[in-house]
Structures are given as C-alpha cells and as structure tokens.
Amino acid sequence: MRGVIVLAMLLLAACDMLPRDPAGTSNRIAHKRTFTVALADPAIDAAPEVQRLVHEIERRTGAKAHWRSGAGEGLFQQLDDGTLDLVIGRFLAESPWAMDVAFGPPLSKTGTKAAPLELKAAMRNGENRWIMTVERASRAISQEAREE
C-alpha cells in the first residue's frame, strides 16, 4: 500500500511538468518576458483578430511581443530554428506546412469553399506548452469574434 501511495505522489509531481517544451520556448519567454512574432502576409496587420491574439498571448504570458519582418518559407525556417516563436497568416486549411509546424485554431476563415483560407498562428513543432498557450489564446479570440 505504501508503494502505491509513493508512486501516486511521484506521478502527481510529474504532471506539473507536462506539457513540455523540449527547446524551452515557454521558459525562455517567461525569463526574457518577450516573444517574437512575424506576419506571413503584412496585409493582415490591420486584421483585428491578429492584434487581439497577440495582446491575449501577452496577457497570458506576461511577455511583450517583439515584431519581426520576413516572408514566405523563411519564416517557417525561423520557427524551426527557434529564432521566431509565432508566425501569423492566412493559410490553406489543408496546408502543406501542417507536418512541419503546429497550427493553432483558426481565428477567421476566408476564401472559397474549395480553397478556404484560415487566419491562424503557426508555432514550432514539439513546443507543446507554448502551443497550448497560443491555442488557448486563439480559442478565446475566436469565441469573442463569434459573440460579437
């Protein structure tokens, strides 16, 4: 019986460490109090959902967004190497990048039924704690938009 209690306590203690960020994204953001963001399409800068998402992530993390410029595939390479934390853009619902990055839930949808575009955030694959933070912020923004 004592062994079961000890095992249960160890398992509970380990739960606090999940989800994990193998590359330490969330810890770095908490320590430096900043995260890096780029827009895949500069035209979406005016989209209110983009600004609300970034502000919601700032609120949830206590960190400030540091904006970077860039374009196209180079942004995804920067996500992969950890020099960018977030890329926001309009992506095909069935994006070819889905295997290389983690996409958050869509903030809004445009385009045609045959080729829908989703405004959403992309994050570095595997950084699960950071991904969860962005996903929760995205869902909160999406919910606000539906209620308006």
Side-chain angles (χ1 to χ4, degrees):
M1 182 65 163
R2 180 179 278 172
V4 172
I5 293 172
V6 170
L7 179 63
M9 290 174 57
L10 288 172
L11 289 173
L12 283 173
C15 289
D16 186 47
M17 300 167 88
L18 297 174
R20 293 189 177 129
D21 285 353
T25 301
S26 293
N27 287 338
R28 178 182 41 77
I29 289 169
H31 181 260
K32 291 188 175 187
R33 307 199 59 72
T34 187
F35 59 97
T36 55
V37 183
L39 300 177
D41 174 7
I44 64 169
D45 185 39
E49 300 95 338
V50 171
Q51 297 305 318
R52 289 197 311 231
L53 175 61
V54 172
H55 288 143
E56 181 65 15
I57 294 169
E58 287 176 329
R59 186 189 71 74
R60 289 171 183 258
T61 62
K64 294 297 280 175
H66 176 74
W67 293 87
R68 290 210 182 141
S69 59
E73 294 186 26
L75 295 177
F76 291 113
Q77 181 58 47
Q78 291 177 56
L79 269 181
D80 189 51
D81 66 24
T83 57
L84 262 180
D85 298 310
L86 199 62
V87 174
I88 304 172
R90 285 193 172 91
F91 304 102
L92 290 171
E94 298 297 323
S95 173
W97 291 102
M99 297 301 289
D100 299 313
V101 300
F103 284 113
L107 303 171
S108 65
K109 295 180 182 183
T110 58
T112 65
K113 191 169 188 159
L117 290 173
E118 298 176 337
L119 178 61
K120 55 189 172 183
M123 292 88 41
R124 185 178 188 185
N125 257 343
E127 295 301 282
N128 297 326
R129 187 172 286 192
W130 172 241
I131 291 167
M132 280 184 65
T133 299
V134 175
E135 284 181 347
R136 287 176 177 156
S138 296
R139 285 189 187 96
I141 298 308
S142 296
Q143 183 64 33
E144 287 175 17
R146 283 192 293 271
E147 292 174 357
E148 289 178 349

